[in-house]
Structure formats: structure tokens, C-alpha cells
Amino acid sequence: MKNYILLIFFVLNFGFVVNAQEWTVPAEEAEKVSPYIFEDDFVTDGEILYENSCTSCHGTPTENNFMPFSPPPGDPASEQFQSQPDGALFYKIQKGRGIMPVFENILAEEEIWSLIAYFRSFNKEYVQPEFDYGDEVLSELKFDLDFDENIDKLVVKVFSDGEVEEGIDVSAFVVGMFGKFPLGKTKTNELGLAYLDVDPSLPGDKQGNLDILVRVRKGYAIEKATTSMKIAEPAQQTSLIEGRHLWSTGDKAPVWLLVTFLLIVVGIWGVILYIIFGLFRLKKIG
Amino acid sequence: MAEKSNAPRRKSRREFLRKLGTTGAVSIAGTSLLFAGSKTGNSDKTPGSKVKMLDQNNRLVEADVSQVSPVSVKIDAGYLNKKGRKGLPGRKFVMVVDLARCRNARKCMKACQGAHQLRPEQHHINVLEMYDEENGASYFMPKPCQHCDNPNCVTVCPVDATFKREDGIVLIDNERCIGCRFCIAACPYSARTFNWAEPKDAEKYKDVPYDMELNVPQKKGTVTKCAFSADRLREGKLPYCVSACPNGVYYFGDENEDLVTNGTTRETVRLSKLLKQNASYTLMPELGTKPRVYYLPPRRS
Amino acid sequence: MAGIHKSEVTISQSGKMEHDLLRTVNWNGRFKLWMGFLSLLLLVCLYFYYLQLRDGLSVTGMHDIVSWGIYISNFVFFIAVSLIGMLISSVLGMIGYKWIKPISRIAEIIAVAFALVAGLVIITDMGRPDRLQHLVMYGRIQSPIVWDITIVITYVVLSLLLLYLPLIPDIALCNKKLTGLPAFQRRLYKILSLGWADKPGQFKVIKRYFRILLIMIIPVALAIHTVTSWLFAMTLRPGWDSPIFGPYFVSGAFVAGCAAVIIAMYFFQKNYKLQEYITNRHFDLMGKLLVLVSLVYVYFNINEIIVPAYKFKPFEVEHIGNLFYGHDSALFWMVQTGGLIIPFLLLMIPKMRKPLPITIISVVILVAAWFKRYLIVVPTQLTPYYPIQNVPERYHSYTPTIAEIAITVASFVLVLMIITILSKLFPIIPVWEMKEENENQKQ
């Protein structure tokens, strides 16, 4: 019996030790740095990812409203998180521990880095360490965008360091209110040209404009830009609250109802007032 | 009351929800910066860095930081009221609920109740277990307000407290509502709920200016219902329930763009194709309410 | 009437009539005791209304599924009873029935009291009574509630006028004859008599106005209850979705109103010793009228219930099933048979139309009529289109709380107070009309 209690005590104690134990990250992993620049766009990508995959346990950053688990998940904006190097955070997200899931196969490396970019957006002192691209020289990418009405295709001409080049990744999206609708993904041909289909049935705004996001990528070098292009049919957008309906606001009540109501009320109250005034003249009647 | 018996077990979760609810309110309280870009905090003011902001047409645009000056707008009740009744021009919001994906995780209900200061029995969105066929299997159906284009609840309101906006959202002004509950009686979808008692955490929300689009703070004796998270839509974000779903049940978007975005996978698809290819339907079309929430059948063929 | 013929005393018939009918205008001890009791009861009930104002409607048994409870069904009941003023004074009066003369004022007082308090009942149901002014500031004419409020106010004013016009000569008479009354009351009479001097020209004007009112109150009274029925019929709920709700409500209203008038007649006949004026014949005729309106009501009941029960549409089935053999079946069958069919069959027997039996039957009918309104309002809400889930167990049924019942009792107390005061302030039977009737009979 005594041994039994002792065992429980030991297990409990051991649990405590595990909880308090540092989550050690191999040194070479901790030194890893992001090849992607933590720019605003990248931070926003991370924020969206965070809301979908992390909020349920870690809560909203800066609010310290993470779930009361043991070990505590912690708040990404806290000192405990921010004091760790980027590589350590990257490793922990990838590998997981205990309740923390393994994200290695769920999130791409780029996505994990965007999460870290989001965490760092809460730290004003943070300076992103430079990634050593080694021999690889980041090309300076530029592109021109046009629309060929005859074949309903977007034409993207890409220049890498001022030269056309074959095999550069080009993707295009229609920018919707909440997300990007992919038009397609292709590579440039030997003339540096990439063609992307645009569905002619896509509705534009009232002027027929569509916001097109084009993204060009060669290695770690990424260039993207959003352009408003007049490539769709101008849409006939009718307001949902046009006209006079029974459900419209009071000032847009149907005319027939307004007239009927007022006629009845004025009619009846006219007679009532006529009688009331008549009564006050009762005294004078002989 | 059955609720009381399991109260201790659920306490911690409630505590958590309560906290979530508070954060939602605090972030809208007082003054806030009008453009969304300021949210990322560390965006320095050197030329070249971009911020995202809403232009006059409420489209999300990027602009250079050096070109915009942060205008701090005092968010008073009058401003919120005017904004709430106006709606987002050029938008027609729609929701598509893919029943085949719903696993009854109920994260949507939790996120919604946390954001809108609701008690556990008050639902803006309610996940129902449906039995359409006596011999068939049951399925789970999230049921938010249908934001009908012919809303009977709005028709019967005596004081314009509930109204339809040009972007399709049916909202409630709980500073106008007289608490007659005619709209509750009129709604065939049972989408509305009433603040019978003092709302949850009323004391905490006491000095928060009323935001019609969030419908917080809730007020005793008034009706409340799903608002398609109009406050989030104005920021270009998906509704609370949509982004909380872990199973990819919800698509949300703008009918004018013909694009809807899945809250979980962030996949953006054509609304018309999604509806056509999946035999979509609306709830009780025979009533002529013309809902703005579409359902995809619970089983894939 | 026999007593009058035997009388050898020199006082004229009309003199005795004046004496008999003005005798009831006083503030005796029994009145004070009764009013004291009512006031005490009202105070207790008002405490519960204070609780409701403080804690919100959570003190009631209502919830998100049954969001309209006994306040609304009581409101419908009050509106229903108030319609009787129109039926008796207007419809029967215009047809030319003379026998309604002595009971027309009773009917009018009941109409005014119930219509007035109905307005208050609807305020007790509001979640935000402090925002009542919003109805004027932001009134939206597409809403049946705005129609209802407009028409209730109109009906109250019309009923008040319908009560007041024939009262003017009597008030002048009271002022002349009843010199022993307190000063304030005499001053009130003086103001209210509007300088009445029994001049033929004045009678002519009053009678003309009265006819206009009699005609006008018919559509208004029909409208008030039809619009009240629309509060339900114009929603998209299975049990309320009925095109005959208007006439169904109106016919039911006449049943409830007749029963209320018979009870009041019995009370005034016994307490005010008016056996010579409210006679067995009046009870007999009212009994026949009650049979007639009950027949019409039974007819509408059959239509309202048989048609959906025969078609067996989904959702309607659930509602009908609940009434026929479900949760509310006991109440339903008690109200339909015990409160409607059996009483009206009994009333076909002449003996049952004697004052005491008919009064007992009327009490049963009136109580059943109240529960009938409950059965119209509540069960429908318990069978919504979508299942009731993720809510506390109590949301599956509805039980009014003590506070809710107390506030409902308060409305009845108020009605009784109004009826008592009006019947003590003014002669309960129109003196000049009875005199006029007498003259006509002599000729």
C-alpha cells in the first residue's frame, strides 16, 4: 500500500518534471533562418493561418487567453515566445510535442515561416536575421501584364535581371473580397511569355474591372503585383433594397398601403373629432 | 433545470469563452484606427512598406505607408449607428454550408457566442441534428440567420429596429428595439433569440459604445440574431463562425463577385459552379423567403 | 313591472324609475371594502411587475421557443371581450331590438374597461416598455402591430364616446337630483354634463352623433379583432397560417363577450337590486344570443381544425397532434367540449337560461374562452419548423411563473376596478332612455 502511494507520488512528481522540462531544440535547427522577407503581405498570410490552426489553443496573441493545458500553450506575443530564435519556433511548429500537433506534413515551410512572421509582428525590437543565400543570387524579377481579348488569355512577360528566360513560375489569381481565386499556374516559354486562361463568365464590377494578382517566382525570388484590369463584362448590380416592399424600411412603405392606412385613419379620426367638437357646442344648442 | 447539473464540468470552458468575448469587445471599444494596416503593429513608416486599407467602396487596397496618415476616428454611437444601417455598397453576401463536411465540432457556435456576448443557450448559429427520413441517418446542420431577401421578420417589425441592408444583411438595432418579439414569432427558421435577462457580462460591457454590426453590447429586453459578422466583413475578414470551423463546412463570399471562400482551407471557388455542381438548396423555399444561405446536401453522390 | 302597475302612490312611474336607477350612484361601505380589496391585490401584483421591470422578462416562463405567453393570449382575450359593446349596442340596436336598452350600458362599460386594459396588457409584454415612444417616433406602417395599436386606440376612444354620449343626459340628471354627493363628484358631473339642459335640440344632436358612432364602431370593432388575429396569421408559423383567423377570432369574441355581459348582468341585478329592469327575459334573450354566436364559433372551429387535420400536411400534423392527443390535449378537449359545445347545448334548454344557471354556464364559457386563447397562442410556438435543440430542457414546454400570473391577475383587477368605479359613478342603466321607452309604450 505504502509503495503504491509512493508510486503515485513519483509519477506525479515525474509529470511535474516533464512539464517544467525545457523543450530543447537541436542547435543546428535553432540557427535556421527564414529565406522569406517578413513583409506585411507575408504577415497577413500568417495571421490567416494562425486564426485557422492555432487560435483554438493559443488564443489571440497579446491577450494571454490560451487554453489552460499542461504544459501551457503560451501566447505567441509573450516574452517566452519572442525570446526564442526563429529556428527554434520553426522546429517546434514542425515537430510538435504532447498536445501540440505535428505540423510537418500539414503546413509548407513557407507557411510556417509566415506564422513566425506573424508572431514577430508583435515584437517591435525584432530584426529579421539575414538568410544566407550562399551561391544563389536572387534575381531581380519584373513583369509586364496584358490581356489578349481574342483568346481570352492573360499574357505575362517576365524579365529576370532584365532578360527573358524560360521556365519561370507564373501564377495568376482574381482577388476576391475574402480570398484569391486561382486562374492558373504555368511557366514562361522561351520568349519569356506565360499565358493564363481567364474564364469569360467571371463577373467584373460595374465597370467590368477585375483585380488580377500575378505572382512570379524564381527560386527564393518572388515578385507580385495586383492590377485592376478591364477584362470582364460590366455587371448590372442591382441593390437588394431597391423599391418599395412590405419589408422595406418605414420611409419606403408601399404606396398602396400608405394611402389606404392614412385614408382610414384620417377618415375615422375626422368623424371622431367632428363629434367631440360638436359635443363642446352642445351648451349653445337650444 | 438540466443545465445546472453539469455546470461545474463546463466551467473552465465557459471561463475561456468569457475571456474570448471580452477581447472581442475591447478591440472595438474606444478609438480605433480606420485602416486595417495599422493592425500589424510593427509596420514602420519608411516609404516602400505597404498597408492594406479599405477604400471608399470598401474594397481592400494596398497603399504606401508614406501616403496615408493614420486618422484616429472616435467611434461614437452615432458613427456606429450610421455605418451599421448603411451596409457595404456593391456587395451581396452569401453563405454556402456544405453539410457533407459538418462533423458537429460546434466551433462555429462557440466562436459566435464568444464574439457576441451570448449566453450558452442563446444561439445566433445553432448546429441541429436533423432527421429528414424516419429510416435514414441523421446529419448535422448549422443554422444561422438565413438573411432572406424577403424577410418576414423585417416585414412585421413595428419600429424599423430590424432592417435589410443593401449588401443583403438583415441587422438589428438594439437601441431601437422595443422587445415586442413579433420578429421571433414571424421567423420560420427560429433564427432569433431574446435577451430575457440582463445579458452575459453586462457590467463589463457597460461603457462600450454600441456597435450595430457586432450587436454588442447586448441589451436586456431586446432581440438579437446572427449578423453575418458584419463588423468583420467591413474589415475584409470572414465571419466568426466561418473562420472558426475546423472542417471546411462554410464558404462565404460576395454574390456580385461570384466568388466564395472556404473559411478553413481558404480555397476560393466560383459560387455559381459550387451551387450547380453540388445540387444546392435553400431552407423551405416554399415559404418564399428567398434565403441568402445555401446548403449543399449532407451526402456526396 | 307588476309592482309599478299596483302602485297607488302619487309618484309617477318615471319618478320611481329615476329613484331606482340613481339609487346605485353612491360610495357605500361595500364599495369601499371591495375597492380596498382590489387595490391591495393590485399592489401585490404591481410588486411583481416591478420585479419584471428590474430583472427583465426572465421572471416570466417565456423563452426563445415560446416567446409569446399568457400576456399575449390574455391580450387577445381582452380584445375579444371588448367586442361585445359593438355587438349589443350597435348591431342589435341598429336592427331595432328594444330589449337591449337596459343592458347596453353594461356592455359598453365592459367594452371600455377591457379595451383600455388590453392596451396596458400589451405593454407588460414588451421587453422595453421604456421605449414605447419609439412606436410614435419610428412607427412603421407595414407592421400589423402598428395597425393594431392604431385601431385599439381608435376603438377605445369610440367605445368611450359610445358610453359617454347616452350618459350626458343622465349625468345632468345626477347633478340635478343627487345633491348629497361629495363636492368633487358634483363638479365632475357639472363638467361632464357639458351644459345639458334636456332641450329637444340637444337630444336631436346626441341621437344623430350616436347613430354615426353606432355605424362607425362596426367596422372598427371588426378591424380590431381581425388585426389582432393577423398578428398570428401573418407570420409563417404552421398553426397560425390560416386565412380564416379573422372571422374565427371575431366569432369567438362574441361568445366570450356575451358570457361576460351575462355575468355582469347577474351581478348588477342581484347587488344593485335591479330585478325590475334586468329581468329573466333579458337573461333568456342573452342566452339565445349566446347560443347563436356559439353556433357560429363552433362552425369556425370545425373549419379551423378539420381542414388541416384532414390534409395532414407535415408540420401542421405535429401541431394538430399536440392538440388532439399530445401535451395540450387535455386542455384542448376540455375547452372545446366542456367550454363550448356542452354549454351551448345546455343553453338550448329554456330552464338553463334562468339567471343563476346561465350565469354559471357563462362563467364556464368565459374561463374556457381564456384558455382557448392560450391554446391558440402557445402550442403553435412549441412546434416550430426546425427541431428545438441545444437549449435547456424547459424550452420544450411553457409554464407561466407566479410573476406572470400575478401580472395577468393585475389586468383583471384593473378591469374590475374600472367597471366598479364606472358603475358607481354613473347609473348602470340608462335613465332617460328607459323613460323614453316607457313613454313610447304608453302611447
Side-chain angles (χ1 to χ4, degrees), chain A residues 50 57-59 64 66-67 71-76 78 80-81:
Chain A
Y50 183 87
C57 294
H58 288 276
N64 277 313
F66 45 84
M67 288 296 257
D75 186 318
S78 67
Q80 182 211 347
F81 268 63

Side-chain angles (χ1 to χ4, degrees), chain C residues 263-275:
Chain C
I263 296 166
M265 274 163 62
Y266 183 78
F267 175 82
F268 287 125
Q269 190 208 36
K270 288 279 171 271
N271 267 23
Y272 289 16
K273 312 234 165 8
L274 297 171
Q275 280 87 343

Side-chain angles (χ1 to χ4, degrees), chain A residues 27-52:
Chain A
E28 69 274 20
E29 293 286 346
E31 280 165 17
K32 218 168 169 181
V33 294
S34 164
Y36 304 97
I37 311 288
F38 290 178
E39 53 189 2
D40 285 350
D41 201 51
F42 202 56
V43 168
T44 312
D45 287 350
E47 185 181 353
I48 290 165
L49 267 176
Y50 183 87
E51 279 177 18
N52 287 319

Side-chain angles (χ1 to χ4, degrees), chain B residues 123 126 129 156 177 181 220, chain C residues 67 125 131 143 389-390:
Chain B
H123 305 291
N126 197 355
E129 188 172 10
V156 299
C177 177
R181 309 190 296 293
K220 182 178 81 178
Chain C
S67 63
D125 186 65
R131 293 180 181 172
S143 170
Q389 288 175 11
N390 310 320

Side-chain angles (χ1 to χ4, degrees), chain C residues 151-301:
Chain C
I151 205 91
V152 167
I153 294 170
T154 309
Y155 185 70
V156 166
V157 171
L158 275 179
S159 296
L160 274 172
L161 281 175
L162 213 54
L163 172 69
Y164 178 54
L165 276 185
L167 252 179
I168 297 174
D170 285 356
I171 294 173
L173 187 70
C174 287
N175 194 24
K176 205 165 72 185
K177 294 277 159 96
L178 302 171
T179 45
L181 290 172
F184 81 90
Q185 199 177 350
R186 302 211 54 202
R187 207 172 309 131
L188 183 75
Y189 285 152
K190 195 160 188 322
I191 297 165
L192 287 180
S193 63
L194 297 173
W196 181 267
D198 281 339
K199 288 175 189 159
Q202 288 178 326
F203 274 112
K204 219 177 119 190
V205 170
I206 285 279
K207 281 186 177 166
R208 191 162 61 90
Y209 286 173
F210 193 61
R211 270 198 87 75
I212 297 175
L213 285 176
L214 285 186
I215 295 166
M216 220 162 59
I217 198 133
I218 295 176
V220 171
L222 287 177
I224 188 180
H225 214 38
T226 307
V227 169
T228 303
S229 82
W230 287 351
L231 294 185
F232 307 98
M234 286 197 171
T235 64
L236 297 172
R237 294 280 184 148
W240 292 339
D241 192 2
S242 160
I244 64 157
F245 246 39
Y248 176 49
F249 271 45
V250 170
S251 58
F254 291 149
V255 176
C258 278
V261 167
I262 290 170
I263 296 166
M265 274 163 62
Y266 183 78
F267 175 82
F268 287 125
Q269 190 208 36
K270 288 279 171 271
N271 267 23
Y272 289 16
K273 312 234 165 8
L274 297 171
Q275 280 87 343
E276 283 172 37
Y277 305 94
I278 302 172
T279 61
N280 284 5
R281 178 166 168 266
H282 287 111
F283 281 97
D284 188 65
L285 287 167
M286 278 307 287
K288 284 176 180 163
L289 181 66
L290 187 49
V291 171
L292 175 73
V293 292
S294 294
L295 265 173
V296 177
Y297 191 41
V298 168
Y299 169 70
F300 275 110
N301 265 284

Side-chain angles (χ1 to χ4, degrees), chain A residues 38 40-41 43-44 47-49 51-52 55-57 59-60 63-68 117 120-124 126 174-182 199 201-206 209-211 226 235-241 246-251, chain B residues 12 16 19-20 23 39-43 49-52 58-59 62 85 88 90-93 107 149-151 154-155 160 163-168 232-234 236-238 243-244 252-259 261 263-264 266 268-270 273 292:
Chain A
F38 290 178
D40 285 350
D41 201 51
V43 168
T44 312
E47 185 181 353
I48 290 165
L49 267 176
E51 279 177 18
N52 287 319
T55 310
S56 52
C57 294
T60 313
E63 304 288 345
N64 277 313
N65 55 0
F66 45 84
M67 288 296 257
R120 295 305 188 195
S121 71
F122 296 98
N123 185 354
K124 291 212 162 56
Y126 175 77
V174 171
V175 182
M177 186 172 178
F178 303 105
K180 300 167 194 139
F181 174 65
D199 187 342
S201 70
L202 260 167
D205 62 8
K206 278 177 190 161
N209 288 325
L210 274 177
D211 287 343
T226 307
Q236 297 286 327
Q237 292 180 356
T238 49
S239 167
L240 281 170
I241 51 170
L246 279 174
W247 50 262
S248 299
T249 46
D251 54 331
Chain B
S12 61
F16 170 65
K19 278 183 182 166
L20 257 186
T23 62
K39 280 192 79 227
T40 48
N42 70 337
S43 57
S49 70
K50 307 268 188 191
V51 290
K52 279 193 172 176
N58 279 300
R59 296 189 79 110
E62 266 188 5
R85 286 199 174 250
L88 276 70
R91 301 284 181 193
K92 283 183 189 174
F93 292 110
K107 298 265 189 198
D149 281 351
N150 183 14
V154 173
T155 305
D160 268 340
F163 54 91
K164 190 167 182 70
R165 307 199 306 185
E166 60 173 299
D167 53 10
R232 299 256 295 193
L233 301 182
R234 197 170 281 278
K237 286 183 175 173
L238 290 170
S243 43
F252 195 89
D254 178 3
E255 191 188 309
N256 281 340
E257 287 180 347
D258 197 28
L259 296 177
T261 303
T264 313
R266 291 279 152 175
T268 300
V269 295
R270 294 287 296 275
K273 277 190 184 151
R292 295 201 77 74

Side-chain angles (χ1 to χ4, degrees), chain B residues 65-293:
Chain B
V65 155
S66 56
Q67 288 174 340
V68 289
S69 56
V71 187
S72 178
V73 174
K74 181 99 171 71
I75 298 195
D76 56 40
Y79 169 73
L80 287 169
N81 190 308
K82 212 172 148 192
K83 183 185 77 168
R85 286 199 174 250
K86 186 84 179 60
L88 276 70
R91 301 284 181 193
K92 283 183 189 174
F93 292 110
V94 285
M95 183 187 265
V96 182
V97 183
D98 187 350
L99 296 177
R101 289 182 178 172
C102 184
R103 303 272 170 279
N104 196 23
R106 307 210 161 190
K107 298 265 189 198
C108 50
M109 289 167 72
K110 278 182 212 162
C112 175
Q113 289 185 328
H116 294 107
Q117 197 198 343
L118 297 176
R119 289 169 186 274
E121 70 271 18
Q122 291 181 300
H123 305 291
H124 283 186
I125 184 165
N126 197 355
V127 181
L128 300 176
E129 188 172 10
M130 299 291 290
Y131 301 85
D132 282 357
E133 288 295 324
E134 232 165 90
N135 304 320
S138 72
Y139 62 93
F140 292 99
M141 185 184 88
K143 178 180 64 63
C145 168
Q146 306 291 303
H147 293 274
C148 308
D149 281 351
N150 183 14
N152 202 39
C153 52
V154 173
T155 305
V156 299
C157 178
V159 291
D160 268 340
T162 183
F163 54 91
K164 190 167 182 70
R165 307 199 306 185
E166 60 173 299
D167 53 10
I169 300 178
V170 176
L171 273 192
I172 292 179
D173 177 354
N174 80 16
E175 290 185 329
R176 177 75 67 85
C177 177
I178 59 169
C180 69
R181 309 190 296 293
F182 202 174
C183 52
I184 298 183
C187 175
Y189 304 105
S190 311
R192 289 169 171 253
T193 154
F194 191 69
N195 285 305
W196 297 97
E198 209 51 84
K200 196 183 74 167
D201 302 331
E203 201 49 39
K204 273 187 191 162
Y205 287 89
K206 209 174 60 186
D207 298 322
V208 177
Y210 172 58
D211 182 354
M212 204 185 290
E213 297 190 328
L214 184 64
N215 206 22
V216 165
Q218 300 279 357
K219 287 185 191 68
K220 182 178 81 178
T222 63
V223 176
T224 174
K225 75 177 237 323
C226 159
F228 262 180
S229 302
D231 58 315
R232 299 256 295 193
L233 301 182
R234 197 170 281 278
E235 291 175 24
K237 286 183 175 173
L238 290 170
Y240 297 101
C241 51
V242 172
S243 43
C245 177
N247 295 320
V249 174
Y250 300 100
Y251 292 87
F252 195 89
D254 178 3
E255 191 188 309
N256 281 340
E257 287 180 347
D258 197 28
L259 296 177
V260 284
T261 303
N262 189 296
T264 313
T265 62
R266 291 279 152 175
E267 176 195 17
T268 300
V269 295
R270 294 287 296 275
L271 170 71
S272 49
K273 277 190 184 151
L274 184 71
L275 297 185
K276 266 183 205 136
Q277 290 169 355
N278 294 290
S280 72
Y281 64 93
T282 56
L283 297 185
M284 290 195 288
E286 66 273 18
L287 296 178
T289 49
K290 301 188 200 155
R292 295 201 77 74
V293 177

